[in-house]
Amino acid sequence: MNLKNGKLKRDEPRLVQRVLRALGVPTDIVRIDIGSGANQYVFGSAELLAQFREQLAFFDAAAQRAAGTPPTT
């Protein structure tokens, strides 16, 4: 829950990577800007990125149906 509400006391890039892996989308973590501490996740191929986007669209549509709002796509 803390990951969702932004109240983590430390950065959790490995947790995000584990969630992505559980969805069948392996990634590599790349720290681009050391000053900001931001992590970026690199997908191994365009197909993996497309698969991840499809999964996001599916979960967004399911959440919208559950909330009773019409899908945006």
Side-chain angles (χ1 to χ4, degrees):
M1 185 64 183
N2 285 339
L3 182 63
K4 183 176 178 181
N5 65 21
K7 294 184 179 179
L8 288 176
K9 299 197 185 323
R10 60 189 174 104
D11 195 15
E12 295 293 343
R14 298 280 181 216
L15 176 60
V16 173
Q17 190 177 33
R18 288 170 61 187
V19 170
L20 290 171
R21 191 178 316 125
L23 292 172
V25 186
T27 58
D28 292 319
I29 298 174
V30 178
R31 185 163 288 208
I32 301 292
D33 183 1
I34 296 173
S36 72
N39 295 296
Q40 296 191 8
Y41 300 87
V42 179
F43 295 87
S45 68
E47 291 81 18
L48 287 174
L49 178 58
Q51 175 187 344
F52 179 65
R53 287 181 173 161
E54 288 174 14
Q55 289 175 340
L56 285 179
F58 173 80
F59 290 125
D60 285 344
Q64 288 175 352
R65 282 192 303 273
T69 58
T72 58
T73 56

